Amino acid sequence: MEETENIQNKLPNQEIDYFKLGKILISRWYWIAGSLAIFMIISNVYLWYTPKIYATSGTMKLEDKKSEIADLSSIIASSERGTSRIQSETSVIQSHGVILNAVKDLDYPISFYIEGRVRTSEIYPAKPLTIQLVQFDSLNFYRDLITFKPINNNNFSLVYKVGDKEIANNYAYNSIINIGPTSFTIKYPGAINKSSVILFKFNTPEDFVGRIRGELRTAETAKNSNILSLQLTDANPKFAADVLNYIMKEYLIYDRNRKTQSATQMINFIDDQLKYLSSQVKGSEKSIQNFKQKNRLMEVGASADAAMTKAKDLETQQSVLNLQLLAINDLKQQIAKEKNNVNLNFDAGNGQVDPSLNRLIANLDLLLTQRNELLKTYNNNSQPIQDINRSILQIKNTALTSLTAIYSNIQRNLDYLNKQLVQVNQQISLLPVHERDIISLRRDFEISEKVYSFLSEKKLEAQISRSGILPGATIIELAQPNYSPVAPNEHDIHRSAIIFGLLTGLGLIILIRVLNPYIYDKETIESLTASPIIGVIRKFPGHIDEDNSQILATSKPKSIFAESVRSVRTNLNFIAGEKESKIICITSEVAGEGKSFVAVNLSSTLSLIDKKVILIGADLRRSKIHKTFKVPNDIGLSNYLSYQADAEDIIQHSKQKDLDFIVSGPVPPNPSELLHNDRMKKLIKELNAVYDIIMIDTAPIGLVSDAIPLIRMSDINIFVIRSGKSKFYSATVPQRIAQEYHLDNTVIVLNAFAEDLLHSRYYTTKFTSDSSGSKYYYYSDYSGYEASGYYVDSEEKKWWDIRRWF
């Protein structure tokens, strides 16, 4: 018995059948085709309604361009190379000021549009109408679209909205039109189609900044290169090209102005000093002349002249150093206050300035510019602003430390000059009074004159350098209109539509399969239970009435259905073959799975092979046997079991030879108890002596326990599973019954099978030598044999079933 249980618990091997998997997908090809068509329609509608976006690009080369006569001055500091410079220049290019100046150069105060069936499109640079502004306030003007429709050669109509109200008025050409605070005139456009509709709106340069800035992109053409690629995307390719060219030109102007600002600041600084020294020189010269005339003194002696020359040189050096200290203090104040465009205005001390100071100041200027740009997007407490503030603070501290060191070095030089000057003054103090006075006057004059000449020379150098400054970038390639759209990408969208269409169709197939709780094919049963299947009864191709009034296996003997019933009959002959008379019990899990149908048709086919068969309607609750044979249900099995009739009274004969039947009789109050009665065993024993086959149609075993005593006394127990009706759980019931009651005669019949590849299992059962101890029977589901010519009344395939062509 344990060996029997082990055999029945062992499931057969199953392998994936890729051909069947393909057939499952093909079986619902119209789902895939439908979803694919829907997504293709959606993609085409999207492409139809979505405005096309065009991209244009230009190229610039960033370079460290100094003055052409840089040998005269070291005013202009070299810029930093590398990523930091690219990022800095990108911020400048995308800055509000550069873009605003580019839009002003574009000179586009009025935009014109044409209205299509789907969307309204801008027609820049075309200007179909000549509109002259009479009164226009850039802060307060009419901003909505205005629709122009010509009427005749003298008049036209304008349609516009004021609030939610649409207003339409007729006007004459060249007359003043007032819409809100805006006044303008429209000139006669010449020959124009009267059905033409032109839309226009007034603009200010600020209106385009957001449109341009949001679509402007910059990037290096290669890593660590100084070649910068600029790209602008817009719905109008000509607009994008023109704006991008103006942006590059405005950037060059901005860059040159930024580089000349150092020289300009130096010139302004020198001018302030020259104004003061000019008055000093004139005053000193006049004082000398007055002193000579008053004291009648022509010249001083040689010793006095030598002392005066030495004192003059020392005081001149002092004046230059004082100017340098003044410039350094001015620079420290600019750095401390974080002013933009900070520059080293004066070459302090003939190379005493650390060369890295120029780079620090240039970096500080770039960081301040970047911070101003970031503040337009972030607040002061945001992480990007805090990061750049830390960098600014670090550079400020380093620059101020360097300037303090330079300041101390210059101060030491001044102290040394002061000591030298004290000695010279002592020599001068020994000279006669008149000579000392004239020396003092001449010293002031010559010192002021020499410093004045020095500053004038520096001013000239700065002016020459400023005139020779070139922008730090060169336009390599101007932007050209590109009329091939970059978005929406038709190829990618169609490809995505195909992918999503296929995935949706396949996903729908998978979803329906996953949500399906029913058994549809024998492979599913084989994967759930080790109980053997003795056959698959095909679904009857025609209509079956509610009472199963026809014995279909005999009414259409050449159909696939009849052949499938005969196949089950054949396998039944091999079960319990040693017994001359067999008791066959037919049950199912629940009602409606076709156990009575199977019982009637098996009985009829068994009677055709000279087997004397009796069919017992043992479902005392809901039997249909009497309806099938069209007899009353007044006297039957329930009467016999309750001692109200004898066996001869309840046996009835059908029109078919060798086929008798017993109807269930009236529904008793205690059907389960009656079937447990010994009288049932007595009836079976009596029938056993007369009939070759006793076919018992019992109640569903999953609902009531009526069938248990009949199952235990039967030679063969057939458990009926209906395709598309029975759930997965029902396939495990036969094996559980066999184990619980120690049965080895339980088999399964799959009823009402119609090939439905959508729900079929994509595994194929492999009966190997390892399963030789198990009970397996040959059977077929007859799939694919409908057109073999051996069967008639086969179900015709649908017109859309692609398999009909194979």
Side-chain angles (χ1 to χ4, degrees):
M1 190 61 66
E2 290 180 358
E3 182 180 357
T4 302
E5 291 181 0
N6 292 332
I7 291 175
Q8 291 191 345
N9 285 330
K10 187 174 180 180
L11 297 176
N13 296 324
Q14 289 192 322
E15 296 179 358
I16 295 178
D17 187 340
Y18 295 99
F19 179 73
K20 194 171 184 180
L21 189 61
K23 290 174 66 178
I24 292 173
L25 299 178
I26 294 176
S27 69
R28 293 299 185 273
W29 64 269
Y30 47 90
W31 287 8
I32 300 175
S35 62
L36 189 62
I38 291 172
F39 274 93
M40 289 300 295
I41 292 172
I42 292 173
S43 67
N44 285 322
V45 171
Y46 173 79
L47 291 172
W48 180 260
Y49 280 92
T50 303
K52 289 181 172 58
I53 302 298
Y54 303 87
T56 185
S57 60
T59 309
M60 295 177 63
K61 179 182 179 182
L62 304 178
E63 48 196 351
D64 297 330
K65 193 70 175 179
K66 293 186 177 181
S67 171
E68 295 296 335
I69 46 177
D71 57 322
L72 297 178
S73 175
S74 60
I75 296 171
I76 307 301
S78 62
S79 301
E80 289 290 305
R81 293 180 180 270
T83 305
S84 61
R85 188 187 177 194
I86 294 293
Q87 294 175 347
S88 301
E89 300 308 312
T90 296
S91 299
V92 173
I93 292 171
Q94 294 179 334
S95 65
H96 183 274
V98 171
I99 295 176
L100 183 62
N101 289 333
V103 176
K104 290 179 180 179
D105 295 339
L106 190 66
D107 189 23
Y108 192 40
I110 303 173
S111 302
F112 292 93
Y113 305 85
I114 56 173
E115 189 173 33
R117 289 180 296 175
V118 177
R119 56 183 175 267
T120 300
S121 303
E122 186 180 23
I123 58 174
Y124 174 91
K127 297 180 179 179
L129 297 176
T130 303
I131 301 175
Q132 184 69 40
L133 292 171
V134 177
Q135 181 178 348
F136 184 81
D137 183 355
S138 60
L139 298 178
N140 183 24
F141 64 95
Y142 186 79
R143 296 178 177 271
D144 291 338
L145 283 172
I146 302 172
T147 303
F148 169 89
K149 296 179 181 179
I151 299 175
N152 51 44
N153 294 340
N154 298 317
N155 299 294
F156 60 90
S157 71
L158 293 181
V159 180
Y160 54 92
K161 285 187 176 182
V162 176
D164 296 332
K165 184 179 180 182
E166 186 175 85
I167 298 176
N169 290 321
N170 295 336
Y171 301 93
Y173 290 109
N174 299 318
S175 63
I176 295 177
I177 303 166
N178 297 307
I179 299 180
T182 306
S183 299
F184 58 94
T185 62
I186 298 178
K187 293 184 179 180
Y188 177 60
I192 187 171
N193 192 340
K194 292 183 179 181
S195 62
S196 300
V197 177
I198 301 171
L199 291 81
F200 64 91
K201 66 186 292 288
F202 300 107
N203 308 308
T204 60
E206 288 78 6
D207 295 338
F208 293 97
V209 172
R211 169 181 171 183
I212 297 168
R213 194 173 184 181
E215 302 299 332
L216 180 61
R217 302 288 182 271
T218 58
E220 291 180 276
T221 56
K223 190 175 182 180
N224 297 326
S225 69
N226 60 344
I227 306 297
L228 190 64
S229 174
L230 290 80
Q231 185 184 71
L232 181 64
T233 56
D234 194 83
N236 189 305
K238 179 63 176 173
F239 176 86
D242 289 349
V243 168
L244 191 57
N245 288 331
Y246 281 124
I247 287 175
M248 291 191 290
K249 292 176 182 177
E250 282 297 326
Y251 167 74
L252 297 183
I253 295 172
Y254 172 86
D255 187 67
R256 186 179 185 280
N257 290 340
R258 183 176 61 180
K259 292 180 180 298
T260 59
Q261 188 168 1
S262 176
T264 302
Q265 288 182 355
M266 185 174 184
I267 292 170
N268 294 336
F269 173 79
I270 293 174
D271 282 339
D272 293 338
Q273 306 304 316
L274 287 178
K275 288 179 183 178
Y276 170 75
L277 289 175
S278 178
S279 60
Q280 288 290 100
V281 170
K282 291 179 182 179
S284 297
E285 186 178 17
K286 188 174 183 181
S287 299
I288 292 172
Q289 292 176 355
N290 291 338
F291 182 83
K292 286 182 178 182
Q293 292 175 0
K294 182 178 180 180
N295 295 283
R296 298 180 179 180
L297 182 66
M298 297 300 293
E299 295 295 337
V300 296
S303 60
D305 188 62
M308 182 188 68
T309 300
K310 188 172 183 179
K312 178 186 67 176
D313 290 339
L314 292 173
E315 290 182 343
T316 300
Q317 293 179 42
Q318 281 184 327
S319 299
V320 172
L321 291 177
N322 284 325
L323 287 173
Q324 292 173 352
L325 291 177
L326 184 62
I328 290 173
N329 284 329
D330 181 62
L331 180 59
K332 290 174 71 175
Q333 291 178 3
Q334 292 185 49
I335 293 175
K337 295 179 180 179
E338 296 184 0
K339 291 186 176 180
N340 290 338
N341 298 317
V342 176
N343 289 279
L344 188 60
N345 292 331
F346 202 73
D347 187 10
N350 296 323
Q352 295 183 36
V353 177
D354 186 353
S356 64
L357 183 60
N358 278 329
R359 291 194 295 271
L360 286 172
I361 294 173
N363 287 339
L364 178 61
D365 189 28
L366 292 175
L367 286 173
L368 291 173
T369 302
Q370 290 180 13
R371 185 176 68 176
N372 290 336
E373 292 299 320
L374 289 174
L375 284 172
K376 296 176 182 178
T377 305
Y378 303 97
N379 56 40
N380 287 321
N381 297 324
S382 62
Q383 190 62 40
I385 300 299
Q386 292 179 1
D387 292 341
I388 203 169
N389 281 340
R390 282 194 290 269
S391 300
I392 290 173
L393 181 60
Q394 183 179 2
I395 292 178
K396 280 175 57 180
N397 292 335
T398 305
L400 290 174
T401 301
S402 180
L403 287 173
T404 301
I406 295 170
Y407 189 93
S408 299
N409 189 28
I410 295 174
Q411 189 64 51
R412 285 195 297 271
N413 291 338
L414 275 175
D415 293 340
Y416 175 78
L417 292 176
N418 286 333
K419 293 178 182 178
Q420 296 292 321
L421 191 58
V422 169
Q423 296 177 4
V424 174
N425 286 334
Q426 288 177 353
Q427 296 177 7
I428 293 175
S429 65
L430 299 176
L431 297 174
V433 175
H434 290 299
E435 287 190 358
R436 291 203 307 269
D437 292 341
I438 191 65
I439 286 174
S440 178
L441 291 173
R442 287 183 62 185
R443 280 171 61 186
D444 292 339
F445 170 74
E446 290 182 4
I447 290 170
S448 298
E449 184 179 37
K450 192 168 184 179
V451 173
Y452 187 90
S453 299
F454 172 78
L455 291 177
S456 298
E457 181 183 354
K458 287 293 183 180
K459 179 180 177 180
L460 179 61
E461 289 178 358
Q463 289 175 333
I464 293 173
S465 297
R466 184 175 65 177
S467 63
I469 290 174
L470 295 177
T474 304
I475 299 177
I476 298 177
E477 183 179 0
L478 288 172
Q480 300 294 331
N482 181 10
Y483 294 97
S484 298
V486 296
N489 190 317
E490 293 188 17
H491 176 73
D492 289 346
I493 290 174
H494 284 313
R495 181 178 60 190
S496 299
I498 292 173
I499 292 173
F500 281 110
L502 293 175
L503 291 178
T504 300
L506 295 175
L508 186 60
I509 293 174
I510 294 173
L511 180 63
I512 296 300
R513 285 180 59 88
V514 169
L515 296 179
N516 167 54
Y518 301 108
I519 295 172
Y520 278 87
D521 58 357
K522 57 186 175 61
E523 285 78 14
T524 304
I525 300 173
E526 290 167 346
S527 68
L528 296 172
T529 182
S531 297
I533 302 173
I534 64 166
V536 176
I537 297 178
R538 292 292 296 238
K539 184 178 180 180
F540 189 73
H543 173 70
I544 302 177
D545 59 38
E546 183 180 357
D547 299 331
N548 296 333
S549 59
Q550 292 178 309
I551 302 178
L552 302 175
T554 57
S555 63
K556 293 188 176 181
K558 292 186 178 182
S559 65
I560 290 182
F561 165 76
E563 184 59 35
S564 65
V565 175
R566 287 192 287 268
S567 175
V568 175
R569 178 191 66 185
T570 301
N571 285 332
L572 281 175
N573 288 330
F574 292 97
I575 305 175
E578 72 282 0
K579 294 189 177 182
E580 295 182 0
S581 178
K582 298 179 182 179
I583 303 170
I584 302 174
C585 181
I586 299 181
T587 188
S588 65
E589 183 194 13
V590 295
E593 293 180 318
K595 57 181 181 55
S596 300
F597 177 81
V598 172
V600 168
N601 284 279
L602 277 178
S603 299
S604 65
T605 55
L606 285 168
S607 67
L608 295 176
I609 57 173
D610 295 330
K611 296 285 185 180
K612 193 168 180 62
V613 181
I614 185 168
L615 173 61
I616 302 174
D619 185 356
L620 302 182
R621 301 173 190 262
R622 290 184 56 188
S623 178
K624 293 184 178 180
I625 299 298
H626 63 284
K627 295 181 179 179
T628 301
F629 292 98
K630 298 181 180 179
V631 296
N633 197 30
D634 298 337
I635 299 177
L637 181 61
S638 62
N639 299 100
Y640 174 81
L641 295 177
S642 59
Y643 297 94
Q644 297 177 5
D646 295 328
E648 295 80 4
D649 299 331
I650 61 174
I651 296 175
Q652 301 186 52
H653 305 286
S654 69
K655 297 178 181 180
Q656 187 169 325
K657 181 183 177 182
D658 294 332
L659 176 59
D660 296 337
F661 61 93
I662 299 173
V663 298
S664 63
V667 178
N670 55 345
S672 181
E673 288 75 6
L674 289 178
L675 292 171
H676 279 77
N677 195 327
D678 290 338
R679 193 167 172 78
M680 185 68 196
K681 295 179 181 179
K682 179 183 177 183
L683 176 64
I684 296 298
K685 186 176 181 180
E686 292 178 3
L687 296 177
N688 231 347
V690 180
Y691 294 96
D692 298 317
I693 302 294
I694 301 173
M695 189 76 65
I696 306 174
D697 177 24
T698 68
I701 197 170
L703 299 179
V704 292
S705 61
D706 299 4
I708 299 300
L710 300 176
I711 289 175
R712 299 187 68 177
M713 72 174 65
S714 298
D715 300 318
I716 304 172
N717 289 305
I718 298 177
F719 189 87
V720 177
I721 294 176
R722 182 171 180 175
S723 176
K725 173 73 173 179
S726 300
K727 295 186 177 181
F728 293 128
Y729 174 77
S730 65
T732 65
V733 174
Q735 187 170 335
R736 290 192 299 105
I737 293 174
Q739 292 175 354
E740 183 175 353
Y741 297 107
H742 306 290
L743 303 175
D744 60 355
N745 58 359
T746 304
V747 294
I748 297 173
V749 169
L750 179 61
N751 181 37
F753 172 76
E755 186 179 22
D756 187 351
L757 289 172
L758 175 64
H759 298 292
S760 64
R761 189 171 174 82
Y762 51 84
Y763 285 88
T764 297
T765 304
K766 298 294 183 180
F767 298 102
T768 62
S769 59
D770 295 336
S771 59
S772 59
S774 301
K775 292 184 178 180
Y776 295 109
Y777 301 91
Y778 172 77
Y779 56 88
S780 172
D781 60 15
Y782 301 92
S783 298
Y785 296 106
E786 292 88 344
S788 64
Y790 281 89
Y791 312 112
V792 295
D793 298 329
S794 298
E795 181 182 5
E796 293 187 2
K797 293 187 176 180
K798 306 297 183 181
W799 65 269
W800 40 259
D801 191 344
I802 195 172
R803 293 171 298 154
R804 72 198 301 261
W805 305 109
F806 296 96

